[in-house]
């Protein structure tokens, strides 16, 4: 059963959340009941596929051994080879999933949510290496890894932030605020995903006209698909965040009005924020730091461009190794590097003034670049 995908799922969810709400309003700890809910929803989500259940269990055993092993090792030593090997092993199951379709082989270890579990596992290894996490208990790691509202598609939380929330006992007054926010988010999710998103997809995106390949139909598809993608995914994220609040966890926001972005950097600070911030912190910043430290390249701008290009190509490949995803990653890298160059150029030449008119123009221009990127992403141009 797909999370938030059917009204049956919501029916089961709301019934099982009733005890959580009661516990919250009584000012009691929600941790144990949330762990119970996670176990129940794992059974519900994976009940229809024994093979996916088998892969999930195997994956959990794999990453628990990896995390515990590296945690014990890190307390004694800090060799780069062991660290990079651990990072590679944490993403190996996902690599196999992404690469195997190319060779027309059976997808090994494939199950719903493997990408987001991989992000969490790799993040913990990196933070163990940095010693921002000194050590980690298996129960705490599993609670973070398998947190049921976000298991399939995020948003991607950070272990330390999640741990603080899960250990906090909310008062009845505090929980009432969480409850109000959670219910509001869930209603927003229904509005976005099952009303606006559904109408756009049914009456525009999937129509014969929009699926054509004339200039006007491509343009129609581009705008409609971009809006559908936002409302569908933002709706899902609202569900995940809302349910998280109902069990006492402030899962981070994923979208912040991305279509009013004034440039491509601003867009990636607003669109799928938990993912973009993850890539920024754990790929871009690491590459920039490594190249700067090793003095492999002296020009800081070139270092930054290498970081951007690597980041977006990895992001494209994460979606899939199909040509449209790789082209989308390359397109975003070109946009980011080009804007960075223009931004530096404009600081000297002052050709783009900062006023209300230029701000409006910047939003309009950025919107069209964004939509064209989503047209590439959709695969419509290569089908």
């Amino acid at each position: 059963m797909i999370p938030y995908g059917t009204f049956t799922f919501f029916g089961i969810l709301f019934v099982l959340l009733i005890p959580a709400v009661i516990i919250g309003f009584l000012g009691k700890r929600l941790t144990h009941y949330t762990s119970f809910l996670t176990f129940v929803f794992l059974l519900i989500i994976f009940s229809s596929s024994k093979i996916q259940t088998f892969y999930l269990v195997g994956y959990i055993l794999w990453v628990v051994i990896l995390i515990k092993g590296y945690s014990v090792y890190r307390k004694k030593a800090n060799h780069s080879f062991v660290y990079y090997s651990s990072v590679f092993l944490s993403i190996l199951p996902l690599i196999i999933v992404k690469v195997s379709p190319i060779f027309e082989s059976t997808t090994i270890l494939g199950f719903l949510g493997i990408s987001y579990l991989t992000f969490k596992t790799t993040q913990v290894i990196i933070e163990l290496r940095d010693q921002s996490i000194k050590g980690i208990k298996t129960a705490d790691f599993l609670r973070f890894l398998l947190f049921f509202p976000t298991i399939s598609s995020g948003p991607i939380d950070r272990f330390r932030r999640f741990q603080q929330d899960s250990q906090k006992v909310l008062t009845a007054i505090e929980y009432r605020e969480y409850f109000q926010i959670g219910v509001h988010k869930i209603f927003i999710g229904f509005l976005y995903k099952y009303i606006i998103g559904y109408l756009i997809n049914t009456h525009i995106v999937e129509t014969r006209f929009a699926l054509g390949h004339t200039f006007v139909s491509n343009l129609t598809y581009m705008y409609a698909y971009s809006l559908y993608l936002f409302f569908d995914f933002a709706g899902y994220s609202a569900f995940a965040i809302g349910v998280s609040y109902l069990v006492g966890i402030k899962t981070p926001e994923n979208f912040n009005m991305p279509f009013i972005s004034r440039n491509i950097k601003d867009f990636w600070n607003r669109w799928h924020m938990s993912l973009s911030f993850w890539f920024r912190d754990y790929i871009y910043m690491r590459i920039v730091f490594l190249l700067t430290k090793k003095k492999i390249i002296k020009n800081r701008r070139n270092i930054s461009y290498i970081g951007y290009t690597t980041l977006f190509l990895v992001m494209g490949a994460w979606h899939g190794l199909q040509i449209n995803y790789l082209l989308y990653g390359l397109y975003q890298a070109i946009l980011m590097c080009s804007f960075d160059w223009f931004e530096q150029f404009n600081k000297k030449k002052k050709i783009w003034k900062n006023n209300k008119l230029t701000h409006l123009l910047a939003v309009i221009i950025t919107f069209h670049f964004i939509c064209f990127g989503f047209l590439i992403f959709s695969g419509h141009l290569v089908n």
Side-chain angles (χ1 to χ4, degrees), residues 322-375:
Q322 293 88 340
I323 187 64
N324 53 302
Y325 297 135
L326 298 179
L327 287 175
Y328 176 74
L330 180 61
Y331 173 78
Q332 292 295 334
I334 293 171
L335 286 186
M336 188 68 81
C337 294
S338 299
F339 175 74
D340 184 82
W341 178 88
F342 175 78
E343 191 175 37
Q344 297 300 322
F345 175 79
N346 193 56
K347 286 180 180 179
K348 298 177 182 178
K349 302 297 183 179
K350 308 291 184 182
I351 61 173
W352 188 269
K353 306 297 181 182
N354 186 17
N355 54 51
K356 291 182 180 180
L357 176 60
T358 55
H359 182 95
L360 177 60
L361 288 174
V363 169
I364 294 171
I365 293 169
T366 302
F367 173 75
H368 285 83
F369 275 110
I370 290 167
C371 289
F372 184 71
F374 286 142
L375 180 62

Side-chain angles (χ1 to χ4, degrees), residues 195-210:
I195 298 178
I196 301 176
Y198 171 80
L199 291 174
I200 293 173
N201 187 54
T202 303
H203 296 289
I204 304 178
V205 175
E206 294 296 331
T207 61
R208 181 177 297 180
F209 171 74

Side-chain angles (χ1 to χ4, degrees), residues 4-163:
Y4 316 114
T6 65
F7 288 104
T8 301
F9 180 88
F10 282 104
I12 297 171
L13 176 65
F14 290 151
V15 169
L16 291 177
L17 281 175
I18 291 173
V21 173
I22 294 172
I23 293 169
F25 275 115
L26 290 174
K28 304 295 184 180
R29 182 181 292 274
L30 280 158
T31 305
H32 297 306
Y33 188 70
T34 302
S35 298
F36 167 74
L37 284 180
T38 292
F39 176 75
V40 171
F41 275 101
L42 286 178
L43 293 178
I44 292 171
I45 292 168
F46 293 98
S47 61
S48 61
S49 174
K50 291 182 179 180
I51 193 66
Q52 282 210 2
T53 304
F54 175 78
Y55 288 154
L56 174 64
V57 172
Y59 178 85
I60 292 171
L61 291 173
W62 171 267
V63 297
V64 166
I65 293 170
L66 183 62
I67 291 294
K68 292 303 293 183
Y70 187 74
S71 178
V72 171
Y73 167 81
R74 183 63 185 89
K75 293 175 181 178
K76 301 175 181 178
N78 182 29
H79 294 294
S80 294
F81 175 78
V82 176
Y83 163 66
Y84 287 118
S85 297
S86 299
V87 169
F88 174 75
L89 290 174
S90 73
I91 64 175
L92 179 60
L94 182 60
I95 292 174
I96 294 172
V97 168
K98 296 297 182 182
V99 170
S100 58
I102 295 177
F103 301 101
E104 298 183 352
S105 58
T106 303
T107 300
I108 303 172
L109 290 177
F111 58 86
L112 182 70
I114 186 173
S115 292
Y116 290 90
L117 300 193
T118 301
F119 286 132
K120 289 182 176 183
T121 302
T122 304
Q123 171 203 144
V124 169
I125 290 176
I126 293 172
E127 294 193 347
L128 283 169
R129 205 280 177 105
D130 294 345
Q131 292 198 311
S132 53
I133 299 175
K134 299 295 184 181
I136 188 167
K137 296 179 181 178
T138 300
D140 292 338
F141 173 66
L142 289 177
R143 192 177 295 116
F144 165 69
L145 181 72
L146 302 173
F147 183 55
F148 78 93
T150 63
I151 189 171
S152 62
S153 299
I156 308 167
D157 210 341
R158 304 297 173 94
F159 175 78
R160 286 175 292 164
R161 199 217 63 77
F162 179 88
Q163 187 70 354

